[in-house]
Amino acid sequence: MQERKLGQLTVSAIGYGCMGLSHAYGRPCGEQEFRHIIAAALDAGITFFDTAEVYGTPDDPHHNENMLGQVLPQYRDRIVLASKFGLGFDLSAQPPYPLVPNSDPKQIKAALEGSLKRLHTDHLDLYYQHRPDPKVEPEAVATVMAELIQEGKILYWGVSEAPADYIRRAHQVCPIAAVQNRYSMLARHHEELFPLLEELNIGLVAFSPLANGILSGQYSAESKFDSATDYRAKMPQFQAQSYEQNQQLFARLTEIAQEHNCTMAQLSLAWVMGKRPWIVPIPGTRSLERLQENAGAAAVTLSAQEMAAIDTALDQLPHSAVYGGAAMANQ
């Protein structure tokens, strides 16, 4: 698979988002299923894996890192491993659980030690602040990151879902390699950050690049999800009326995909990558077939005219709202 740059960090052009194996998309995967999927991703040329300390369940809050720690050490010299700090969940509420940020410097260092232990590694290639903490200035977080880089415990760092001023202030203290944001054909609001990322040589890691899977074309009004374990049960794009709202747009995207002999999912990922050479999508899936399909998107190339035609369709044709993420808990 081709490679891309996130700042100075080289990664596979498409990464793998591990969250759904443990959190928000149904029951957590068992170890054997986890192993098969990670091995298949590596076989497909994916070498960039994304996790976080909070991807798990109330009973096993670190499930994702624990599972990866069992699987990835044998591949450690072949992969770029990213994890995140600074976020918890208010488990007293109902799913999707409200988010509780915590980027106290002491907590950051404790979180990293926990992640390194669970992942059975001596360093992370990329370490993200999962969400900004309104109680901690970006300069304070960046100072801790600089210390961790100096100690060799992380190689690069990034932020997720942070505003432009926060990014700039943090970057001045310790250069940021990547910003991880929700970005897809149906969630384009972060495009306003593109000039800043270009200026500062910061890459964008696009999570939910298939809008939580709806852009895969694999769902219908009859699709059902367990509201106790699967956030899709409450996501607007998976409600019955959304399929009618999206019908015209999805029909047009399917036509364009057929012209390229690819699927709508592959077209969607190719569009994300076509926006800038420093954007890396990290779709997640439990399906080996979908994983191969997603990896194949790296071979789909869209011209500037084709990108513009897709943008016109996105601008002019109606579509449903999409999930924007869990709300912050009341502090």
Side-chain angles (χ1 to χ4, degrees):
M1 182 183 290
Q2 305 98 319
E3 294 180 327
R4 291 192 163 202
K5 287 277 196 177
L6 302 172
Q8 299 303 312
L9 178 63
T10 301
V11 300
S12 53
I14 295 176
Y16 183 79
C18 298
M19 184 189 78
L21 300 179
S22 303
H23 175 79
Y25 289 86
R27 60 164 182 81
C29 290
E31 184 175 340
Q32 185 175 9
E33 184 179 5
F34 213 106
R35 284 184 179 276
H36 285 166
I37 292 171
I38 297 301
L42 285 160
D43 287 344
I46 295 170
T47 59
F48 181 34
F49 292 87
D50 182 272
T51 185
E53 64 170 340
V54 292
Y55 293 161
T57 68
D59 294 332
D60 188 359
H62 306 301
H63 179 270
N64 208 253
E65 286 190 336
N66 283 327
M67 288 290 100
L68 282 173
Q70 299 301 314
V71 176
L72 287 182
Q74 61 184 304
Y75 308 114
R76 188 66 185 92
D77 61 345
R78 294 173 48 192
I79 67 170
V80 176
L81 182 58
S83 192
K84 309 180 192 75
F85 69 88
L87 196 64
F89 297 110
D90 178 3
L91 298 179
S92 67
Q94 296 296 312
Y97 298 116
L99 306 177
V100 182
N102 183 356
S103 286
D104 178 87
K106 292 182 180 179
Q107 177 59 30
I108 295 173
K109 294 181 178 181
L112 176 60
E113 293 303 323
S115 290
L116 294 177
K117 182 177 180 180
R118 288 186 291 271
L119 291 165
H120 297 285
T121 186
D122 62 357
H123 74 280
L124 293 175
D125 300 289
L126 182 57
Y127 200 35
Y128 294 103
Q129 183 184 26
H130 210 153
R131 293 292 186 275
D133 183 345
K135 302 183 298 297
V136 182
E137 298 296 330
E139 291 84 359
V141 175
T143 297
V144 177
M145 296 299 104
E147 293 172 359
L148 297 176
I149 291 172
Q150 182 66 30
E151 293 169 8
K153 293 184 177 180
I154 66 173
L155 301 186
Y156 299 93
W157 84 289
V159 296
S160 181
E161 298 285 299
D165 181 63
Y166 189 100
I167 294 168
R168 187 179 291 279
R169 288 171 58 188
H171 186 80
Q172 288 175 343
V173 175
C174 183
I176 291 172
V179 168
Q180 184 175 137
N181 285 343
R182 183 182 305 276
Y183 184 56
S184 72
M185 286 183 173
L186 302 183
R188 302 169 62 189
H189 49 285
H190 286 303
E191 289 180 353
E192 64 187 20
L193 288 176
F194 285 5
L196 175 65
L197 301 184
E198 191 93 58
E199 173 194 343
L200 300 180
N201 189 31
I202 296 173
L204 175 66
V205 175
F207 76 84
S208 294
L210 297 177
N212 306 100
I214 196 66
L215 286 167
S216 70
Q218 299 298 312
Y219 300 94
S220 71
E222 285 69 48
S223 299
K224 303 298 180 185
F225 306 99
D226 181 357
S227 61
T229 59
D230 198 319
Y231 287 11
R232 288 172 294 185
K234 296 181 180 179
M235 291 182 185
Q237 67 267 41
F238 292 100
Q239 304 310 306
Q241 67 273 15
S242 73
Y243 296 94
E244 182 175 350
Q245 294 169 338
N246 292 327
Q247 183 176 11
Q248 190 176 358
L249 174 61
F250 285 11
R252 178 64 185 126
L253 295 177
T254 299
E255 289 176 359
I256 298 173
Q258 289 173 345
E259 294 170 3
H260 282 270
N261 195 31
C262 69
T263 66
M264 188 168 79
Q266 291 173 328
L267 181 76
S268 300
L269 294 172
W271 176 89
V272 168
M273 291 185 287
K275 280 294 178 177
R276 295 292 190 278
W278 37 261
I279 299 180
V280 177
I282 53 167
T285 181
R286 300 182 178 205
S287 164
L288 296 181
E289 182 180 356
R290 297 282 84 73
L291 192 153
Q292 292 283 349
E293 178 184 349
N294 292 343
V300 179
T301 301
L302 301 172
S303 69
Q305 293 78 10
E306 290 165 332
M307 291 288 293
I310 293 172
D311 286 351
T312 297
L314 296 175
D315 291 337
Q316 295 181 353
L317 298 177
H319 60 78
S320 70
V322 297
Y323 181 64
M328 287 290 179
N330 293 326
Q331 298 293 291

